[in-house]
Structures are given as C-alpha cells and as structure tokens.
Amino acid sequence: YMAGRTLRTTLPGSADGAQPNGSGGSTHDAFIIASTTDLGAPRPVADLKVTKTGSEHPIAHRWVLYDISVENLGPDPAPGARIQDVLPPELLAAGWTCTASGGASCAQVSGSGSIDMQTTLPVNGKLTFALCGRSAGASLIVNTAEASVSNAMLDPISANNHASAVTQDDSLFGDGFEDIDLPPWCPPAG
C-alpha cells in the first residue's frame, strides 16, 4: 500500500513538451516526476480487537455491569489508539476502572461517565475496563464500545473494532430482594 500521489508535469518547450534530445533528428518527451510529501513507505498495521460482556439483567433493578477489553493483535504497535464507550441515554451515571497488561498502559485508571481514552497499545497489549452504570429504568439497554487506530495506521479487520452488550430489564419477575456487593466505583444509588 502506498500513500500519496505522483504529479506528472511537462517541461516547457513546445506544445508537445520539452525536447532535451533534439539533436540528431529524434525527439523524446521529458517529464519531471514530483512526489508529494505523503508518499512513503507502507503504513503500519495493527488489528485492534474489542470484546464486551455485560449484565443480562439490571442488578437489583438498578445497576448494569460491563467488562470491556481492547487488545492489539499486531503485527505493529498502535500509538494513538482511541478507545470509546459512549453511554446510551438509558444509563444515567457510570463509573469505570482501567487495568493494563502486556506492556500497555491506561491513560486514566478510573473515571466517570463515558470512556474516551487515547493510548499506545503494543503488540499483545491489552486494556480491560470495568464499567458500572445506573439504569434509568429502560426495558432495553444497548451499550457499544469501540477502538480505532490513528490516521497514520491501518486496521485490517474493522469488524472486530466494536462490540455491544444488551441488557433487558425483566423486573416483572423480580421480588425486590435481589442484591449484590457492588464495586466501590459504582455510582451512588441517589
């Protein structure tokens, strides 16, 4: 894969172009080949893979827990990789944590609201997010996480750059006594 374009410019001389070898009765057109600054070597390639799991049903009719992982399958490191999980309107609040492995590092180790992080993912580097969101009482919640490489790179398999988890609220079948020990970074019940 080559990025850029080549410009062909005819040298001045005649209507047909310059005649640098005009002696001896033969004529040859001469051209200047100018390359643009973005013409260069093949771009690096990194296959980012996103997986996501989540609560099938809200916990205690209120919280939804998600596990999100983003991994660089290679063959090149991915500087400037962007990881996003934009919360749907059915989640009123969220808290999250990030852990890294395989030489990767989290730009932030925790946060609240949507996830939007840029980082460098080495080959086989992995970021794992745990996200806890408070349900607005919707009967269906679809939440999607995605990852992308920087504009200077290529990702050969875009189909694995996003993953979704679906949560359905079947509170009709709950008895009100469902409970769980929630992580301390989950948003307060208020």
Side-chain angles (χ1 to χ4, degrees):
Y1 174 81
M2 292 293 279
R5 62 183 185 274
T6 301
L7 303 175
R8 182 177 159 194
T9 307
T10 304
L11 289 172
S14 68
D16 295 329
Q19 311 302 320
N21 296 327
S23 61
S26 64
T27 61
H28 303 320
D29 286 339
F31 299 97
I32 295 175
I33 303 296
S35 62
T36 62
T37 57
D38 63 344
L39 184 64
R43 295 195 304 188
V45 175
D47 180 16
L48 301 185
K49 179 183 176 185
V50 178
T51 57
K52 182 170 192 165
T53 58
S55 310
E56 291 183 21
H57 307 285
I59 300 164
H61 306 293
R62 187 173 294 254
W63 289 274
V64 182
L65 300 175
Y66 298 104
D67 290 312
I68 306 150
S69 69
V70 180
E71 184 176 6
N72 180 2
L73 302 178
D76 295 314
R82 186 173 185 187
I83 296 101
Q84 292 180 292
D85 188 330
V86 178
L87 297 179
E90 296 84 8
L91 290 177
L92 296 176
W96 53 267
T97 61
C98 177
T99 55
S101 60
S105 62
C106 298
Q108 288 179 255
V109 294
S110 64
S112 61
S114 296
I115 298 169
D116 190 356
M117 180 182 296
Q118 280 192 302
T119 188
T120 295
L121 283 172
V123 177
N124 298 320
K126 185 176 185 179
L127 297 182
T128 303
F129 297 87
L131 187 146
C132 179
R134 194 169 72 233
S135 171
S139 59
L140 186 69
I141 301 170
V142 179
N143 184 244
T144 302
E146 61 185 343
S148 58
V149 296
S150 73
N151 290 337
M153 300 193 70
L154 296 174
D155 189 325
I157 304 173
S158 61
N160 66 358
N161 291 6
H162 54 87
S164 297
V166 177
T167 303
Q168 187 167 347
D169 188 357
D170 295 330
S171 59
L172 174 66
F173 301 106
D175 61 11
F177 293 101
E178 296 83 5
D179 199 5
I180 189 170
D181 291 329
L182 294 170
W185 40 264
C186 279

PDB file of all heavy atoms in Angstrom, residues 67-99:
ATOM      1  N   ASP A  67     -17.842  -5.552  31.249  1.00  0.00           N
ATOM      2  CA  ASP A  67     -16.406  -5.811  31.130  1.00  0.00           C
ATOM      3  C   ASP A  67     -16.038  -5.590  29.668  1.00  0.00           C
ATOM      4  O   ASP A  67     -16.639  -6.202  28.779  1.00  0.00           O
ATOM      5  CB  ASP A  67     -16.055  -7.238  31.546  1.00  0.00           C
ATOM      6  CG  ASP A  67     -16.205  -7.446  33.037  1.00  0.00           C
ATOM      7  OD1 ASP A  67     -15.705  -6.599  33.803  1.00  0.00           O
ATOM      8  OD2 ASP A  67     -16.826  -8.452  33.437  1.00  0.00           O
ATOM      9  N   ILE A  68     -15.076  -4.725  29.431  1.00  0.00           N
ATOM     10  CA  ILE A  68     -14.659  -4.346  28.083  1.00  0.00           C
ATOM     11  C   ILE A  68     -13.164  -4.599  27.970  1.00  0.00           C
ATOM     12  O   ILE A  68     -12.400  -4.189  28.849  1.00  0.00           O
ATOM     13  CB  ILE A  68     -14.939  -2.845  27.820  1.00  0.00           C
ATOM     14  CG1 ILE A  68     -16.392  -2.517  28.093  1.00  0.00           C
ATOM     15  CG2 ILE A  68     -14.522  -2.453  26.417  1.00  0.00           C
ATOM     16  CD1 ILE A  68     -16.622  -1.099  28.553  1.00  0.00           C
ATOM     17  N   SER A  69     -12.742  -5.262  26.897  1.00  0.00           N
ATOM     18  CA  SER A  69     -11.307  -5.426  26.684  1.00  0.00           C
ATOM     19  C   SER A  69     -10.952  -4.991  25.262  1.00  0.00           C
ATOM     20  O   SER A  69     -11.723  -5.199  24.329  1.00  0.00           O
ATOM     21  CB  SER A  69     -10.852  -6.861  26.940  1.00  0.00           C
ATOM     22  OG  SER A  69     -11.354  -7.722  25.954  1.00  0.00           O
ATOM     23  N   VAL A  70      -9.794  -4.358  25.148  1.00  0.00           N
ATOM     24  CA  VAL A  70      -9.266  -3.914  23.865  1.00  0.00           C
ATOM     25  C   VAL A  70      -7.845  -4.454  23.770  1.00  0.00           C
ATOM     26  O   VAL A  70      -7.014  -4.185  24.635  1.00  0.00           O
ATOM     27  CB  VAL A  70      -9.264  -2.374  23.744  1.00  0.00           C
ATOM     28  CG1 VAL A  70      -8.696  -1.950  22.399  1.00  0.00           C
ATOM     29  CG2 VAL A  70     -10.650  -1.808  23.958  1.00  0.00           C
ATOM     30  N   GLU A  71      -7.582  -5.224  22.712  1.00  0.00           N
ATOM     31  CA  GLU A  71      -6.291  -5.880  22.558  1.00  0.00           C
ATOM     32  C   GLU A  71      -5.726  -5.594  21.167  1.00  0.00           C
ATOM     33  O   GLU A  71      -6.463  -5.552  20.185  1.00  0.00           O
ATOM     34  CB  GLU A  71      -6.476  -7.386  22.743  1.00  0.00           C
ATOM     35  CG  GLU A  71      -5.211  -8.178  22.705  1.00  0.00           C
ATOM     36  CD  GLU A  71      -5.456  -9.657  22.999  1.00  0.00           C
ATOM     37  OE1 GLU A  71      -6.615 -10.074  23.125  1.00  0.00           O
ATOM     38  OE2 GLU A  71      -4.467 -10.383  23.097  1.00  0.00           O
ATOM     39  N   ASN A  72      -4.412  -5.406  21.104  1.00  0.00           N
ATOM     40  CA  ASN A  72      -3.734  -5.218  19.824  1.00  0.00           C
ATOM     41  C   ASN A  72      -3.179  -6.567  19.381  1.00  0.00           C
ATOM     42  O   ASN A  72      -2.236  -7.084  19.965  1.00  0.00           O
ATOM     43  CB  ASN A  72      -2.608  -4.192  19.941  1.00  0.00           C
ATOM     44  CG  ASN A  72      -1.888  -3.975  18.619  1.00  0.00           C
ATOM     45  OD1 ASN A  72      -2.233  -4.551  17.597  1.00  0.00           O
ATOM     46  ND2 ASN A  72      -0.867  -3.137  18.648  1.00  0.00           N
ATOM     47  N   LEU A  73      -3.757  -7.117  18.309  1.00  0.00           N
ATOM     48  CA  LEU A  73      -3.319  -8.406  17.784  1.00  0.00           C
ATOM     49  C   LEU A  73      -2.127  -8.277  16.836  1.00  0.00           C
ATOM     50  O   LEU A  73      -1.632  -9.267  16.333  1.00  0.00           O
ATOM     51  CB  LEU A  73      -4.489  -9.097  17.073  1.00  0.00           C
ATOM     52  CG  LEU A  73      -5.736  -9.338  17.928  1.00  0.00           C
ATOM     53  CD1 LEU A  73      -6.841  -9.978  17.099  1.00  0.00           C
ATOM     54  CD2 LEU A  73      -5.421 -10.155  19.156  1.00  0.00           C
ATOM     55  N   GLY A  74      -1.680  -7.032  16.581  1.00  0.00           N
ATOM     56  CA  GLY A  74      -0.491  -6.803  15.772  1.00  0.00           C
ATOM     57  C   GLY A  74      -0.795  -6.699  14.296  1.00  0.00           C
ATOM     58  O   GLY A  74      -1.937  -6.573  13.909  1.00  0.00           O
ATOM     59  N   PRO A  75       0.199  -6.690  13.467  1.00  0.00           N
ATOM     60  CA  PRO A  75       1.598  -7.022  13.752  1.00  0.00           C
ATOM     61  C   PRO A  75       2.437  -5.850  14.279  1.00  0.00           C
ATOM     62  O   PRO A  75       3.569  -6.054  14.697  1.00  0.00           O
ATOM     63  CB  PRO A  75       2.140  -7.470  12.391  1.00  0.00           C
ATOM     64  CG  PRO A  75       1.352  -6.676  11.403  1.00  0.00           C
ATOM     65  CD  PRO A  75      -0.011  -6.532  12.016  1.00  0.00           C
ATOM     66  N   ASP A  76       1.900  -4.619  14.265  1.00  0.00           N
ATOM     67  CA  ASP A  76       2.666  -3.455  14.714  1.00  0.00           C
ATOM     68  C   ASP A  76       2.052  -2.857  15.976  1.00  0.00           C
ATOM     69  O   ASP A  76       0.860  -3.011  16.228  1.00  0.00           O
ATOM     70  CB  ASP A  76       2.686  -2.380  13.615  1.00  0.00           C
ATOM     71  CG  ASP A  76       3.422  -2.825  12.367  1.00  0.00           C
ATOM     72  OD1 ASP A  76       4.530  -3.379  12.509  1.00  0.00           O
ATOM     73  OD2 ASP A  76       2.891  -2.633  11.256  1.00  0.00           O
ATOM     74  N   PRO A  77       2.856  -2.123  16.772  1.00  0.00           N
ATOM     75  CA  PRO A  77       2.304  -1.362  17.901  1.00  0.00           C
ATOM     76  C   PRO A  77       1.324  -0.312  17.381  1.00  0.00           C
ATOM     77  O   PRO A  77       1.414   0.112  16.227  1.00  0.00           O
ATOM     78  CB  PRO A  77       3.528  -0.694  18.535  1.00  0.00           C
ATOM     79  CG  PRO A  77       4.708  -1.416  17.988  1.00  0.00           C
ATOM     80  CD  PRO A  77       4.307  -1.968  16.657  1.00  0.00           C
ATOM     81  N   ALA A  78       0.405   0.107  18.240  1.00  0.00           N
ATOM     82  CA  ALA A  78      -0.618   1.078  17.845  1.00  0.00           C
ATOM     83  C   ALA A  78      -0.541   2.334  18.712  1.00  0.00           C
ATOM     84  O   ALA A  78      -1.301   2.496  19.666  1.00  0.00           O
ATOM     85  CB  ALA A  78      -2.004   0.452  17.941  1.00  0.00           C
ATOM     86  N   PRO A  79       0.376   3.268  18.399  1.00  0.00           N
ATOM     87  CA  PRO A  79       0.400   4.533  19.134  1.00  0.00           C
ATOM     88  C   PRO A  79      -0.820   5.367  18.745  1.00  0.00           C
ATOM     89  O   PRO A  79      -1.240   5.359  17.588  1.00  0.00           O
ATOM     90  CB  PRO A  79       1.699   5.194  18.683  1.00  0.00           C
ATOM     91  CG  PRO A  79       1.982   4.602  17.349  1.00  0.00           C
ATOM     92  CD  PRO A  79       1.410   3.213  17.364  1.00  0.00           C
ATOM     93  N   GLY A  80      -1.392   6.059  19.698  1.00  0.00           N
ATOM     94  CA  GLY A  80      -2.547   6.918  19.417  1.00  0.00           C
ATOM     95  C   GLY A  80      -3.845   6.167  19.236  1.00  0.00           C
ATOM     96  O   GLY A  80      -4.795   6.710  18.675  1.00  0.00           O
ATOM     97  N   ALA A  81      -3.916   4.917  19.699  1.00  0.00           N
ATOM     98  CA  ALA A  81      -5.174   4.166  19.612  1.00  0.00           C
ATOM     99  C   ALA A  81      -6.228   4.852  20.488  1.00  0.00           C
ATOM    100  O   ALA A  81      -5.918   5.357  21.567  1.00  0.00           O
ATOM    101  CB  ALA A  81      -4.967   2.730  20.069  1.00  0.00           C
ATOM    102  N   ARG A  82      -7.457   4.876  19.998  1.00  0.00           N
ATOM    103  CA  ARG A  82      -8.540   5.538  20.738  1.00  0.00           C
ATOM    104  C   ARG A  82      -9.598   4.513  21.129  1.00  0.00           C
ATOM    105  O   ARG A  82     -10.080   3.755  20.292  1.00  0.00           O
ATOM    106  CB  ARG A  82      -9.172   6.624  19.877  1.00  0.00           C
ATOM    107  CG  ARG A  82     -10.202   7.446  20.617  1.00  0.00           C
ATOM    108  CD  ARG A  82     -10.685   8.606  19.793  1.00  0.00           C
ATOM    109  NE  ARG A  82     -11.590   9.445  20.559  1.00  0.00           N
ATOM    110  CZ  ARG A  82     -12.257  10.452  20.051  1.00  0.00           C
ATOM    111  NH1 ARG A  82     -12.104  10.771  18.767  1.00  0.00           N
ATOM    112  NH2 ARG A  82     -13.062  11.160  20.796  1.00  0.00           N
ATOM    113  N   ILE A  83      -9.952   4.513  22.411  1.00  0.00           N
ATOM    114  CA  ILE A  83     -10.972   3.615  22.939  1.00  0.00           C
ATOM    115  C   ILE A  83     -12.132   4.468  23.411  1.00  0.00           C
ATOM    116  O   ILE A  83     -11.946   5.437  24.154  1.00  0.00           O
ATOM    117  CB  ILE A  83     -10.426   2.761  24.101  1.00  0.00           C
ATOM    118  CG1 ILE A  83      -9.313   1.836  23.598  1.00  0.00           C
ATOM    119  CG2 ILE A  83     -11.534   1.929  24.721  1.00  0.00           C
ATOM    120  CD1 ILE A  83      -7.958   2.306  23.894  1.00  0.00           C
ATOM    121  N   GLN A  84     -13.349   4.107  22.965  1.00  0.00           N
ATOM    122  CA  GLN A  84     -14.537   4.873  23.338  1.00  0.00           C
ATOM    123  C   GLN A  84     -15.673   3.941  23.735  1.00  0.00           C
ATOM    124  O   GLN A  84     -15.863   2.887  23.125  1.00  0.00           O
ATOM    125  CB  GLN A  84     -15.021   5.738  22.178  1.00  0.00           C
ATOM    126  CG  GLN A  84     -14.096   6.862  21.808  1.00  0.00           C
ATOM    127  CD  GLN A  84     -14.663   7.665  20.654  1.00  0.00           C
ATOM    128  OE1 GLN A  84     -14.755   7.175  19.536  1.00  0.00           O
ATOM    129  NE2 GLN A  84     -15.049   8.896  20.943  1.00  0.00           N
ATOM    130  N   ASP A  85     -16.402   4.360  24.741  1.00  0.00           N
ATOM    131  CA  ASP A  85     -17.668   3.733  25.105  1.00  0.00           C
ATOM    132  C   ASP A  85     -18.589   4.884  25.494  1.00  0.00           C
ATOM    133  O   ASP A  85     -18.534   5.394  26.611  1.00  0.00           O
ATOM    134  CB  ASP A  85     -17.491   2.759  26.271  1.00  0.00           C
ATOM    135  CG  ASP A  85     -18.752   1.944  26.540  1.00  0.00           C
ATOM    136  OD1 ASP A  85     -19.866   2.451  26.272  1.00  0.00           O
ATOM    137  OD2 ASP A  85     -18.633   0.809  27.024  1.00  0.00           O
ATOM    138  N   VAL A  86     -19.386   5.320  24.536  1.00  0.00           N
ATOM    139  CA  VAL A  86     -20.313   6.429  24.776  1.00  0.00           C
ATOM    140  C   VAL A  86     -21.570   5.846  25.402  1.00  0.00           C
ATOM    141  O   VAL A  86     -22.214   4.971  24.816  1.00  0.00           O
ATOM    142  CB  VAL A  86     -20.643   7.173  23.460  1.00  0.00           C
ATOM    143  CG1 VAL A  86     -21.641   8.282  23.708  1.00  0.00           C
ATOM    144  CG2 VAL A  86     -19.362   7.723  22.832  1.00  0.00           C
ATOM    145  N   LEU A  87     -21.887   6.319  26.587  1.00  0.00           N
ATOM    146  CA  LEU A  87     -23.036   5.767  27.310  1.00  0.00           C
ATOM    147  C   LEU A  87     -24.349   6.099  26.609  1.00  0.00           C
ATOM    148  O   LEU A  87     -24.559   7.226  26.167  1.00  0.00           O
ATOM    149  CB  LEU A  87     -23.083   6.329  28.732  1.00  0.00           C
ATOM    150  CG  LEU A  87     -21.904   5.976  29.634  1.00  0.00           C
ATOM    151  CD1 LEU A  87     -22.078   6.626  30.995  1.00  0.00           C
ATOM    152  CD2 LEU A  87     -21.755   4.477  29.774  1.00  0.00           C
ATOM    153  N   PRO A  88     -25.245   5.109  26.511  1.00  0.00           N
ATOM    154  CA  PRO A  88     -26.563   5.397  25.943  1.00  0.00           C
ATOM    155  C   PRO A  88     -27.399   6.190  26.944  1.00  0.00           C
ATOM    156  O   PRO A  88     -27.098   6.200  28.146  1.00  0.00           O
ATOM    157  CB  PRO A  88     -27.147   4.002  25.701  1.00  0.00           C
ATOM    158  CG  PRO A  88     -26.487   3.138  26.725  1.00  0.00           C
ATOM    159  CD  PRO A  88     -25.104   3.714  26.906  1.00  0.00           C
ATOM    160  N   PRO A  89     -28.463   6.865  26.485  1.00  0.00           N
ATOM    161  CA  PRO A  89     -29.281   7.665  27.403  1.00  0.00           C
ATOM    162  C   PRO A  89     -29.972   6.838  28.487  1.00  0.00           C
ATOM    163  O   PRO A  89     -30.396   7.390  29.496  1.00  0.00           O
ATOM    164  CB  PRO A  89     -30.303   8.344  26.489  1.00  0.00           C
ATOM    165  CG  PRO A  89     -30.226   7.653  25.185  1.00  0.00           C
ATOM    166  CD  PRO A  89     -28.904   6.961  25.107  1.00  0.00           C
ATOM    167  N   GLU A  90     -30.047   5.526  28.299  1.00  0.00           N
ATOM    168  CA  GLU A  90     -30.689   4.664  29.304  1.00  0.00           C
ATOM    169  C   GLU A  90     -29.829   4.471  30.546  1.00  0.00           C
ATOM    170  O   GLU A  90     -30.287   3.922  31.542  1.00  0.00           O
ATOM    171  CB  GLU A  90     -31.022   3.286  28.698  1.00  0.00           C
ATOM    172  CG  GLU A  90     -32.021   3.331  27.590  1.00  0.00           C
ATOM    173  CD  GLU A  90     -31.402   3.641  26.224  1.00  0.00           C
ATOM    174  OE1 GLU A  90     -30.166   3.679  26.107  1.00  0.00           O
ATOM    175  OE2 GLU A  90     -32.185   3.846  25.284  1.00  0.00           O
ATOM    176  N   LEU A  91     -28.564   4.914  30.499  1.00  0.00           N
ATOM    177  CA  LEU A  91     -27.697   4.855  31.678  1.00  0.00           C
ATOM    178  C   LEU A  91     -27.504   6.274  32.199  1.00  0.00           C
ATOM    179  O   LEU A  91     -26.973   7.133  31.501  1.00  0.00           O
ATOM    180  CB  LEU A  91     -26.348   4.224  31.328  1.00  0.00           C
ATOM    181  CG  LEU A  91     -26.373   2.734  31.026  1.00  0.00           C
ATOM    182  CD1 LEU A  91     -24.986   2.251  30.620  1.00  0.00           C
ATOM    183  CD2 LEU A  91     -26.887   1.935  32.202  1.00  0.00           C
ATOM    184  N   LEU A  92     -27.947   6.507  33.413  1.00  0.00           N
ATOM    185  CA  LEU A  92     -27.907   7.852  33.989  1.00  0.00           C
ATOM    186  C   LEU A  92     -26.523   8.247  34.478  1.00  0.00           C
ATOM    187  O   LEU A  92     -26.144   9.391  34.436  1.00  0.00           O
ATOM    188  CB  LEU A  92     -28.896   7.953  35.148  1.00  0.00           C
ATOM    189  CG  LEU A  92     -30.367   7.775  34.788  1.00  0.00           C
ATOM    190  CD1 LEU A  92     -31.218   7.803  36.048  1.00  0.00           C
ATOM    191  CD2 LEU A  92     -30.802   8.849  33.818  1.00  0.00           C
ATOM    192  N   ALA A  93     -25.775   7.278  34.981  1.00  0.00           N
ATOM    193  CA  ALA A  93     -24.459   7.574  35.546  1.00  0.00           C
ATOM    194  C   ALA A  93     -23.612   6.325  35.412  1.00  0.00           C
ATOM    195  O   ALA A  93     -24.130   5.221  35.282  1.00  0.00           O
ATOM    196  CB  ALA A  93     -24.590   7.977  37.007  1.00  0.00           C
ATOM    197  N   ALA A  94     -22.327   6.516  35.436  1.00  0.00           N
ATOM    198  CA  ALA A  94     -21.424   5.369  35.349  1.00  0.00           C
ATOM    199  C   ALA A  94     -20.090   5.717  35.981  1.00  0.00           C
ATOM    200  O   ALA A  94     -19.668   6.869  35.981  1.00  0.00           O
ATOM    201  CB  ALA A  94     -21.220   4.940  33.906  1.00  0.00           C
ATOM    202  N   GLY A  95     -19.459   4.710  36.517  1.00  0.00           N
ATOM    203  CA  GLY A  95     -18.089   4.798  36.986  1.00  0.00           C
ATOM    204  C   GLY A  95     -17.324   3.655  36.356  1.00  0.00           C
ATOM    205  O   GLY A  95     -17.899   2.609  36.045  1.00  0.00           O
ATOM    206  N   TRP A  96     -16.027   3.840  36.105  1.00  0.00           N
ATOM    207  CA  TRP A  96     -15.252   2.790  35.470  1.00  0.00           C
ATOM    208  C   TRP A  96     -13.811   2.773  35.962  1.00  0.00           C
ATOM    209  O   TRP A  96     -13.315   3.756  36.500  1.00  0.00           O
ATOM    210  CB  TRP A  96     -15.284   2.907  33.941  1.00  0.00           C
ATOM    211  CG  TRP A  96     -14.890   4.255  33.390  1.00  0.00           C
ATOM    212  CD1 TRP A  96     -15.723   5.280  33.092  1.00  0.00           C
ATOM    213  CD2 TRP A  96     -13.568   4.712  33.081  1.00  0.00           C
ATOM    214  NE1 TRP A  96     -15.008   6.355  32.618  1.00  0.00           N
ATOM    215  CE2 TRP A  96     -13.686   6.029  32.587  1.00  0.00           C
ATOM    216  CE3 TRP A  96     -12.304   4.135  33.159  1.00  0.00           C
ATOM    217  CZ2 TRP A  96     -12.583   6.778  32.190  1.00  0.00           C
ATOM    218  CZ3 TRP A  96     -11.210   4.876  32.760  1.00  0.00           C
ATOM    219  CH2 TRP A  96     -11.358   6.178  32.274  1.00  0.00           C
ATOM    220  N   THR A  97     -13.169   1.624  35.768  1.00  0.00           N
ATOM    221  CA  THR A  97     -11.749   1.460  36.063  1.00  0.00           C
ATOM    222  C   THR A  97     -11.069   0.855  34.840  1.00  0.00           C
ATOM    223  O   THR A  97     -11.715   0.230  33.999  1.00  0.00           O
ATOM    224  CB  THR A  97     -11.506   0.536  37.277  1.00  0.00           C
ATOM    225  OG1 THR A  97     -12.038  -0.755  36.979  1.00  0.00           O
ATOM    226  CG2 THR A  97     -12.152   1.112  38.530  1.00  0.00           C
ATOM    227  N   CYS A  98      -9.761   1.047  34.744  1.00  0.00           N
ATOM    228  CA  CYS A  98      -8.973   0.510  33.638  1.00  0.00           C
ATOM    229  C   CYS A  98      -7.747  -0.195  34.209  1.00  0.00           C
ATOM    230  O   CYS A  98      -7.071   0.340  35.092  1.00  0.00           O
ATOM    231  CB  CYS A  98      -8.536   1.642  32.704  1.00  0.00           C
ATOM    232  SG  CYS A  98      -7.467   1.119  31.336  1.00  0.00           S
ATOM    233  N   THR A  99      -7.489  -1.397  33.724  1.00  0.00           N
ATOM    234  CA  THR A  99      -6.260  -2.114  34.061  1.00  0.00           C
ATOM    235  C   THR A  99      -5.569  -2.504  32.762  1.00  0.00           C
ATOM    236  O   THR A  99      -6.221  -2.724  31.741  1.00  0.00           O
ATOM    237  CB  THR A  99      -6.533  -3.375  34.912  1.00  0.00           C
ATOM    238  OG1 THR A  99      -7.469  -4.201  34.229  1.00  0.00           O
ATOM    239  CG2 THR A  99      -7.090  -2.995  36.278  1.00  0.00           C
TER     240      THR A  99
END
